[in-house]
Amino acid sequence: MSSAHQPFDEMPNPNPTPTQVEFSKYSKRVILKTILDREDGGLGLVDQRVVVGGWVKSSRELRKDPPPMTGDRKENAEVKCVEVFRSKIPFLRTVIQVFGGNTTHIKEKVGSKPALSIAFLKISDGSSVTSLQIVVDSSIAPASQLMPTGTCILAEGVLQKSSIQGKHEIELKAEKMLHIGIVDQESYPLSKKKLALSGLRDHAHFRPRTTTVASVLKVRNGLNQASHTFFQNHGFVHVDAPIITATNAKGSSENFQVSTSIFSAKEPEPEPASTDDTENASLETIKLLINEKSKKIEELKRSDSSKEALDAALQDLHKINLLANELEARSNTEDLFFSNQAFLTTSGSLHLESFASAFGYVYAFGPRFQANKSESKKNSAKNWMIETEIAFSELEDAMKCAEDFVRFVSNWVSKNCHEDLHFLSKRGDKAIIDRLNSVALAPFEKITYATAVEVLNKVTDTTFETKIELGVALSDEHERFDPDEQISFSFFYLVEFYKKPVIIFDFPKELKPFNVRLNDDGKTVAAFDVIVPKVGTLVRGSQKEERLNYLSKRIEESGLRKDEYEWYLDLCKQGAVKHSGFDVMFDVMVLFATGLSDVRDVIPFPRHHGKLHN
């Protein structure tokens, strides 16, 4: 019978599961994923010799019955006494420690032979959510060295069917131990049976060894790969935006200033007292004024004051902060490495616009910094951002691109990180996979800012902390909704209302950066936010202002120093083009995909106010 007439179930498999183990090209071992994630669970590899490595996740020990004894009774009795004494060593250690003694001189090895046992170790090398069970006889290595959680082993042996029925199809019977990396159980933080994610934050260098954090970071890696795939497939050029910059892209005063100050372990020599404290006194006065203005703003927020009064106070505070930064820079001119003030960038979008004027389609992916002391779960001092700019495009083009991007990465990670997502859904948010699939399939709802305010004003079954009215910034509080809470805090109300992701556009100009294009009404700007389930605002975008006179005026209105933006204004003077783009909060996207609620749990080494461990 020709293949054209063969029944479907008899057709040859175009991608048969390999029957030979594949050794890693760079470490001379077999990656556990290639064994455990096969369709047959690894059974097709039984009787093959492999070398595997990993870290012990859990373990247990099975004592073996001693072999039949031969010889005279005295020798037997001596051996038996040795075994009894050895079995009591852990108890003796505990007694001595209770009374403050030292146990270093008590040895495991008493007599001629160690106790006979078999150690069952479940190890992981990070490639799979499933662990491989390794069976090690005590004649190969002492169980006491192998069993502590976190022990690193490299073992050679033969794959066999699991000796104990359960969820493991296959195990490795070890014949050689090529490496043992021991663990100090008293100081190793993962020795504890259960540690909350918040408790792991102080041990960022160890927490990837936990299955949950490992799965989160692999999903993060998948989102990274999906993002690059989307932009590369659509002809975008990847550009590295500068980390150190003299330009304040967002007009914010919460910047990290770059300094050449050198910290020394030696005691600094006392400096002679200055007779001229005029400059220092003025800076101190400014700082006191900042505190007073901040208190006044808090009072205005709590009262029923008009929006105009609050906006005026915020604008005053912003200008005073800029003045304070300038005075502080002047007082430290001797420490300046550059010719002017330098900051860690809050956004690479301004610099990206210059490349859009050359390549057309560009994107950047990197860390952005903000000295924000708030305890927000969606922001840290160092956030990873994806930023795009598209020449010859307007607001509608950028909104379309942002929607396509979010739908693409949701679909990609759902298909390519299924094992890790399935594990995370079992341990936490059950709706992870369904949420990703629904976002990937459903077209987004597009509404104006004014429509969003109108919808929120019709809400009667919940109370918002801030009164909703035109001109008010729609924070994530307004965008999320939990019917079980008096104030909205779990799902996003607008997403819940429309039953799909929402794109809000045409915001009041006061709520967006100075370089967003002014609409014809003179009151709103061509900006948009993409709101998705679980996390709220995921993407912010806009059409940029290419008209020189409008851009110059917005810089003045924002209280920014025009001389610092001369290079940016040059883009409008020399070959200006309409262009638009958007920023993706990458860490928030990881929260969306994994179901977690705090970016400190999805960033490999988080940086936030008051915490910098490594």
Side-chain angles (χ1 to χ4, degrees):
M1 180 184 290
S2 68
S3 61
H5 300 286
Q6 284 181 320
F8 180 78
D9 57 356
E10 295 180 10
M11 292 287 286
N13 185 356
N15 298 303
T17 304
T19 56
Q20 295 292 323
V21 292
E22 298 179 11
F23 276 75
S24 172
K25 186 177 181 179
Y26 303 113
S27 64
K28 296 182 177 62
R29 65 184 174 95
V30 176
I31 305 300
L32 295 186
K33 181 182 180 70
T34 62
I35 300 173
L36 301 170
D37 290 2
R38 291 163 51 102
E39 292 182 1
D40 61 3
L43 290 175
L45 303 176
V46 167
D47 295 332
Q48 293 200 36
R49 178 173 295 276
V50 299
V51 175
V52 298
W55 290 264
V56 175
K57 308 287 286 186
S58 62
S59 62
R60 60 188 181 87
E61 184 179 16
L62 179 65
R63 293 284 181 176
K64 294 170 63 176
D65 293 331
M69 300 180 186
T70 57
D72 58 41
R73 292 181 63 181
K74 182 177 180 180
E75 182 180 351
N76 290 346
E78 288 175 352
V79 172
K80 189 172 182 180
C81 289
V82 167
E83 291 176 350
V84 169
F85 183 72
R86 185 185 300 110
S87 68
K88 300 299 182 182
I89 285 177
F91 172 74
L92 292 173
R93 278 204 180 111
T94 303
V95 171
I96 293 172
Q97 287 174 346
V98 167
F99 288 97
N102 191 327
T103 63
T104 56
H105 298 292
I106 297 182
K107 305 292 186 182
E108 279 288 345
K109 190 173 180 181
V110 179
S112 58
K113 294 182 180 180
L116 302 176
S117 65
I118 299 175
F120 294 88
L121 314 174
K122 291 182 181 178
I123 71 162
S124 171
D125 65 0
S127 64
S128 174
V129 296
T130 309
S131 300
L132 176 66
Q133 181 163 277
I134 298 184
V135 183
V136 187
D137 193 277
S138 58
S139 61
I140 296 174
S144 59
Q145 287 187 9
L146 301 173
M147 293 180 62
T149 298
T151 300
C152 179
I153 67 169
L154 184 66
E156 180 180 344
V158 176
L159 294 171
Q160 63 183 23
K161 288 186 177 180
S162 181
S163 55
I164 300 175
Q165 291 186 347
K167 62 180 180 179
H168 297 283
E169 298 282 352
I170 196 169
E171 65 187 18
L172 178 75
K173 183 173 177 57
E175 295 181 354
K176 293 181 183 178
M177 276 294 160
L178 305 178
H179 170 75
I180 302 175
I182 62 173
V183 163
D184 180 0
Q185 287 182 278
E186 293 184 3
S187 61
Y188 184 58
L190 303 187
S191 294
K192 299 177 181 178
K193 288 295 182 182
K194 287 186 178 181
L195 271 177
L197 286 172
S198 58
L200 289 170
R201 292 171 193 161
D202 292 339
H203 309 286
H205 53 307
F206 284 131
R207 66 178 183 172
R209 298 187 189 182
T210 66
T211 308
T212 298
V213 174
S215 290
V216 168
L217 295 180
K218 283 191 286 182
V219 172
R220 184 186 181 98
N221 173 70
L223 289 168
N224 187 323
Q225 184 178 350
S227 300
H228 283 290
T229 299
F230 175 85
F231 291 116
Q232 293 294 327
N233 287 350
H234 288 85
F236 283 74
V237 176
H238 180 251
V239 175
D240 292 320
I243 299 298
I244 300 175
T245 177
T247 307
N248 190 345
K250 293 185 177 181
S252 169
S253 61
E254 298 173 333
N255 295 338
F256 285 105
Q257 187 171 344
V258 177
S259 170
T260 55
S261 298
I262 300 175
F263 294 92
S264 173
K266 298 179 180 179
E267 284 290 329
E269 295 181 5
E271 296 182 359
S274 173
T275 57
D276 183 12
D277 290 334
T278 307
E279 195 169 66
N280 290 333
S282 62
L283 181 59
E284 289 301 318
T285 303
I286 293 293
K287 289 182 177 180
L288 289 173
L289 188 57
I290 289 174
N291 289 332
E292 291 177 6
K293 283 287 183 182
S294 298
K295 291 178 182 178
K296 183 179 179 180
I297 288 171
E298 291 300 320
E299 292 175 1
L300 289 172
K301 287 180 178 179
R302 288 193 294 267
S303 66
D304 295 329
S305 301
S306 66
K307 176 184 175 299
E308 290 76 11
L310 179 59
D311 287 344
L314 288 170
Q315 190 71 12
D316 287 345
L317 179 61
H318 175 68
K319 292 179 179 178
I320 296 171
N321 274 319
L322 291 176
L323 179 59
N325 288 339
E326 186 176 346
L327 288 174
E328 195 161 13
R330 287 178 185 173
S331 65
N332 296 315
T333 51
E334 294 181 1
D335 291 332
L336 286 180
F337 181 84
F338 302 101
S339 59
N340 54 347
Q341 281 183 282
F343 306 95
L344 295 180
T345 184
T346 58
S347 171
S349 61
L350 299 188
H351 297 87
L352 208 57
E353 289 181 48
S354 66
F355 282 87
S357 298
F359 297 117
Y361 286 53
V362 293
Y363 76 104
F365 189 7
R368 305 294 179 253
F369 305 87
Q370 192 169 13
N372 190 342
K373 296 182 180 180
S374 68
E375 293 294 326
S376 170
K377 292 185 176 183
K378 290 180 61 178
N379 290 288
S380 63
K382 177 183 177 183
N383 301 292
W384 286 82
M385 301 286 288
I386 301 172
E387 297 155 333
T388 70
E389 283 298 329
I390 309 169
F392 304 100
S393 70
E394 300 184 10
L395 181 68
E396 293 76 12
D397 303 308
M399 289 194 293
K400 173 61 177 170
C401 185
E403 178 178 348
D404 288 349
F405 170 80
V406 174
R407 295 177 66 180
F408 176 86
V409 295
S410 297
N411 181 60
W412 196 98
V413 78
S414 177
K415 289 182 176 179
N416 292 278
C417 301
H418 183 76
E419 293 297 324
D420 293 296
L421 292 172
H422 181 66
F423 172 81
L424 292 170
S425 66
K426 289 196 302 182
R427 295 295 182 93
D429 189 342
K430 309 296 182 186
I432 292 173
I433 298 175
D434 288 341
R435 185 165 55 242
L436 285 167
N437 290 334
S438 66
V439 168
L441 295 173
F444 294 4
E445 186 74 26
K446 297 180 179 67
I447 61 174
T448 64
Y449 167 88
T451 301
V453 171
E454 184 180 344
V455 170
L456 292 171
N457 275 325
K458 293 179 180 178
V459 175
T460 58
D461 54 355
T462 190
T463 302
F464 295 116
E465 189 171 320
T466 305
K467 185 180 179 181
I468 307 299
E469 58 184 3
L470 290 173
V472 170
L474 298 181
S475 66
D476 286 342
E477 177 210 333
H478 307 134
E479 293 154 3
R480 60 188 176 180
F481 171 72
D482 182 353
D484 296 329
E485 296 288 344
Q486 195 66 22
I487 295 180
S488 50
F489 273 127
S490 281
F491 299 113
F492 298 87
Y493 186 86
L494 291 171
V495 174
E496 189 74 14
F497 181 83
Y498 288 102
K499 308 298 182 185
K500 62 176 71 173
V502 178
I503 298 179
I504 306 172
F505 63 97
D506 285 352
F507 283 80
K509 65 179 182 180
E510 294 82 8
L511 302 181
K512 292 297 178 180
F514 70 93
N515 61 332
V516 180
R517 197 178 201 273
L518 190 68
N519 289 332
D520 293 340
D521 60 11
K523 298 179 181 179
T524 62
V525 289
F528 70 92
D529 288 0
V530 179
I531 315 299
V532 298
K534 181 67 181 180
V535 295
T537 307
L538 177 61
V539 179
R540 288 191 170 98
S542 64
Q543 180 178 344
K544 306 306 188 296
E545 186 61 80
E546 84 286 359
R547 298 166 295 185
L548 180 60
N549 57 332
Y550 284 86
L551 185 57
S552 298
K553 185 177 180 181
R554 289 285 289 135
I555 289 176
E556 293 176 5
E557 290 176 351
S558 301
L560 301 174
R561 291 181 55 179
K562 191 174 180 179
D563 60 313
E564 293 181 358
Y565 296 88
E566 286 298 337
W567 71 269
Y568 182 65
L569 292 170
D570 282 345
L571 298 176
C572 295
K573 299 174 184 177
Q574 317 292 346
V577 61
K578 284 187 177 182
H579 58 287
S580 62
F582 58 87
D583 302 342
V584 182
M585 294 180 281
F586 186 74
D587 302 318
V588 176
M589 188 162 67
V590 182
L591 292 181
F592 165 68
T594 59
L596 273 62
S597 59
D598 197 314
V599 293
R600 290 174 292 183
D601 299 322
V602 302
I603 299 174
F605 289 92
R607 302 315 190 207
H608 54 100
H609 180 242
K611 295 284 185 179
L612 187 64
H613 293 291
N614 39 35

